[in-house]
Structures are given as C-alpha cells and as structure tokens.
C-alpha cells in the first residue's frame, strides 16, 4: 500500500505518468467499466451490474446482479481437438455477455430498459465459436484428455504493481471449477497486468496463455 502511495505521488508530478498510473493502478475507477461519466449512471459505477437488494437470482451464483440478462442462444466453440464439454454459458460468463453479446443495452438495469449498447469493438456477438472456449469444467480429467494443459493445482500469478496475487490456477482463474470470461479478465480492473483489455495476466511472451497451456 505504501508503495502504491509513492507511485501515486511520483505520478502526480508528471501528467503522462499519472495517466499510465491511473490505468494500471488497479481500480475500476478510470477503467472501461467506470460508468460515472455516462448520463444514465447518476455518477455511479457499480449500479449497472450490482444492487444491494431485489437482484436477479436466475443466474447461478450471480453476485447481487442488477443488469438485465440476455436471452440469446449462442453458437458454441467447437473443434476436432477440443476435449472440454461445452454447454450454453451460465454463471460468470453469462454476466459479461449480458452486455458483451450486444443484444442488451449497457444501461438496461434495475428493471429499466436502456438504449446504449457496447461499442462494435467490444461486441462479441452471439457466435462464441470465434472466441476462446468458456463455460466448461477444467479439472484433472480434462488435463489428462488434453495432454498439454497444466494441472489446476499449478501456480498462476495475476495483477501488477502493488496488486499481485499468486495462487493456484483453480483458485485464481476458475469459477466453480470452470473456465469463464473472468479466467482471463478482471471486470473490476483490481488485479490486471496491463492497461488494455482488463487482462489478469501478462500477455508478453504469451504468459497469459502459457499459464494454462503447456506449449
Ligand atoms: C461491468 C459490471 C460490473 C461492475 C461495474 C462492477 N462489478 Fe462487481 N462483479 C461483476 C462480475 C461479473 C462479478 C463476478 C465475479 C467476477 O467476474 O470477478 C462481480 C463480483 C463482485 C464481487 C464479489 C467478488 C469479488 O470480486 O470480491 C464484489 C464484492 C463486487 N463485484 C463489488 C463491486 C463493486 C463495489 C463495484 C463498484 C465499485 C462493482 N463490483 C462494479 C461485475 C461488475
Ligand atoms: C453493464 C454492461 C457490462 C458488463 C456486464 C460487462 N461489461 Fe465489459 N464493457 C462494457 C462497456 C460499456 C465497455 C467499454 C465501452 C464500450 O465498449 O462501449 C466494456 C469494455 C470491456 C473490455 C475492453 C476493455 C478495454 O480496456 O478496452 C473488456 C475486456 C471487457 N469489457 C470485459 C468484460 C468482462 C470479462 C465482463 C464480465 C466479467 C464484462 N466486461 C462485463 C460493459 C459491460
Ligand atoms: C483465454 C483468455 C480469454 C477468455 C476466456 C476471454 N477473453 Fe476476452 N480477451 C482476451 C485477450 C487476450 C484479449 C485481448 C485481445 C487483443 O488485444 O487482441 C481479449 C479482449 C477482449 C475484449 C476487447 C475486444 C477485443 O476483441 O479485443 C472484450 C470485450 C473481451 N475480451 C470480452 C470477453 C468476454 C465477454 C469473454 C467471455 C465470453 C472473454 N472475453 C473471454 C482473452 C480472453
Ligand atoms: C485459465 C486457463 C487458460 C488460459 C489462461 C488460456 N487457456 Fe486456452 N484453453 C484452456 C482449456 C482448459 C481449454 C480446453 C482444452 C481442451 O478441451 O482440450 C482451452 C482451449 C484452447 C484452444 C482450443 C483448443 C482446441 O482443441 O480447439 C485454443 C486454441 C486455446 N485454448 C488457446 C489459448 C490462447 C491463445 C490463450 C492465451 C490468449 C489461452 N488459450 C489461454 C485453458 C486456458
């Protein structure tokens, strides 16, 4: 924490550094998910995704979910070499897709229907065949079947600067034992390794991929 304070002090001395620091510092404030500048947010950040009461309990284990969910049926990832058993996204990924499949407005939450959708660049659509597979169990059986995956008890490191965590793949990257959008992304920008794409792990040298894939 002390380190962080000095980084901020140093950053304040230089405009450029400050911008870099603000983006990597590891808070949702100033990140792509900071909605405070949107006219519909009332200056709030969390409300588009969470509320303290009357939240959506239809998605398995959703954390006090306030955003309208998508009813899209997704085209799932498939390939002749895939061993994972993939089904329609539930859980964590369904939360992301409530904005990122482009069918529900970002400002549709708390029972109100909005009209501002994610930008084209961040719209994944409902064809998930073009995205890294998500929504499946990553366990010892899959490691054996695949032959070149690291066991889920192996170490992983997420974050950067003063906010780094090292633990097992299963504890840091899996959700109920499953591979989800948040296996690679940190929606809150708390433990991210770089400024772009809210990535939890360092993409240099493809460390983000090699944490799970033994290639
Ligand atoms: C863009 C959507 C979005 C916004 C905005 C958002 N969250 Fe979340 N939050 C999620 C998702 C998705 C999860 C599920 C766990 C995950 O993916 O990391 C989550 C999980 C959580 C959790 C439980 C897991 C954890 O990380 O501790 C807490 C607490 C939380 N959010 C608090 C907040 C607070 C406080 C804010 C506002 C400052 C906020 N969130 C803003 C999407 C969001
Ligand atoms: C409430 C709607 C909403 C939810 C839910 C949501 N996002 Fe986003 N996300 C956005 C918006 C809005 C942007 C940026 C502006 C745009 O594209 O319009 C964005 C941007 C991003 C970006 C690009 C970041 C960058 O720096 O360019 C990533 C990556 C991302 N989101 C991942 C996720 C993941 C992963 C989840 C779930 C864990 C999630 N989002 C949930 C609305 C959402
Ligand atoms: C295996 C890791 C991984 C998974 C799983 C993953 N992403 Fe990503 N995502 C990335 C990487 C890496 C990038 C950066 C791509 C680039 O810079 O070219 C990215 C980029 C993005 C972007 C920015 C737009 C773009 O295409 O560059 C969004 C939005 C996004 N991801 C959302 C999601 C959502 C929603 C899910 C779940 C449905 C998801 N991601 C699952 C690794 C992943
Ligand atoms: C959190 C762990 C994890 C991370 C991080 C991850 N992957 Fe994966 N990936 C998996 C698992 C598990 C599978 C399913 C393997 C299987 O079914 O045999 C998979 C599947 C794939 C597939 C499809 C394989 C097939 O047979 O069709 C490709 C390609 C792939 N990953 C590439 C990447 C790349 C590139 C990155 C980095 C951007 C990455 N992965 C990051 C765990 C991960």
């Amino acid at each position: 924490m002390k380190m962080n304070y000095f980084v901020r002090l140093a950053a304040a001395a230089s405009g450029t550094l400050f911008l870099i620091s603000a983006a990597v510092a590891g808070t949702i404030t100033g990140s792509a998910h900071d909605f405070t500048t949107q006219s519909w947010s009332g200056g709030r950040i969390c409300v588009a995704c969470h509320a303290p009461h009357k939240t959506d309990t239809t998605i398995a284990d959703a954390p006090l979910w306030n955003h309208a969910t998508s009813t899209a049926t997704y085209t799932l990832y498939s390939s002749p070499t895939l061993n994972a058993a993939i089904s329609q996204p539930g859980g964590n990924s369904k939360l992301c897709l409530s904005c990122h499949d482009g069918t529900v407005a970002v400002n549709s939450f708390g029972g109100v229907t909005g009209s501002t959708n994610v930008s084209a660049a961040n719209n994944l659509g409902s064809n998930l065949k073009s995205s890294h597979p998500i929504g499946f169990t990553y366990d010892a059986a899959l490691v054996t079947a695949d032959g070149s995956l690291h066991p889920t008890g192996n170490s992983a490191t997420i974050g950067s600067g003063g906010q780094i965590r090292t633990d097992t793949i299963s504890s840091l990257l899996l959700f109920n034992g499953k591979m989800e959008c948040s296996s690679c992304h940190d929606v809150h920008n708390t433990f991210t390794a770089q400024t772009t794409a809210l990535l939890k792990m360092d993409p240099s040298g493809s460390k983000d991929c090699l944490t799970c894939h033994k290639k």
Side-chain angles (χ1 to χ4, degrees):
M1 282 301 113
K2 203 163 201 179
M3 184 67 180
N4 226 343
Y5 175 70
F6 283 113
V7 171
R8 276 162 196 270
L9 268 190
S14 144
T16 321
L17 241 186
F18 184 74
L19 277 181
I20 295 166
S21 159
V24 194
T27 57
I28 195 166
T29 307
S31 78
H33 290 141
D34 178 352
F35 304 123
T36 48
T37 58
Q38 305 295 322
S39 55
W40 46 260
S41 71
R44 292 172 295 174
I45 301 177
C46 317
V47 69
C49 296
H50 307 287
H53 302 291
K54 299 180 183 166
T55 56
D56 188 336
T57 54
T58 59
I59 300 180
D61 303 325
L64 296 173
W65 199 245
N66 197 34
H67 196 264
T69 52
S70 172
T71 54
T73 302
Y74 300 94
T75 304
L76 304 180
Y77 181 87
S78 62
S79 93
T81 48
L82 188 77
N83 299 287
I86 305 193
S87 52
Q88 287 294 317
N92 174 274
S93 301
K94 178 113 177 136
L95 305 179
C96 310
L97 289 165
S98 75
C99 285
H100 285 285
D101 76 4
T103 66
V104 181
V106 176
N107 52 341
S108 290
F109 59 87
V112 174
T113 302
S115 57
T116 308
N117 285 69
V118 282
S119 61
N122 291 322
N123 182 349
L124 302 184
S126 53
N127 184 356
L128 297 181
K129 185 159 170 45
S130 57
S131 281
H132 189 287
I134 45 103
F136 61 88
T137 300
Y138 175 3
D139 60 5
L142 183 64
V143 172
T144 304
D146 179 274
S148 67
L149 283 170
H150 290 296
T152 57
N154 267 31
S155 175
T157 296
I158 60 169
S160 58
Q163 285 170 214
I164 291 181
R165 285 183 69 196
T166 299
D167 205 329
T168 58
I169 290 176
S170 106
S171 128
L172 290 181
L173 306 180
L174 304 182
F175 292 76
N176 279 341
K178 288 184 162 188
M179 180 85 196
E180 303 285 0
C181 307
S182 294
S183 299
C184 299
H185 297 284
D186 183 341
V187 68
H188 306 114
N189 193 36
T190 316
F191 291 98
T192 45
Q194 60 160 36
T195 52
T196 51
L198 301 171
L199 292 176
K200 284 179 157 176
M201 293 173 289
D202 187 356
S204 70
S206 290
K207 287 200 250 328
D208 53 342
C209 313
L210 294 171
T211 296
C212 299
H213 294 278
K214 213 193 297 174
K215 293 289 184 209

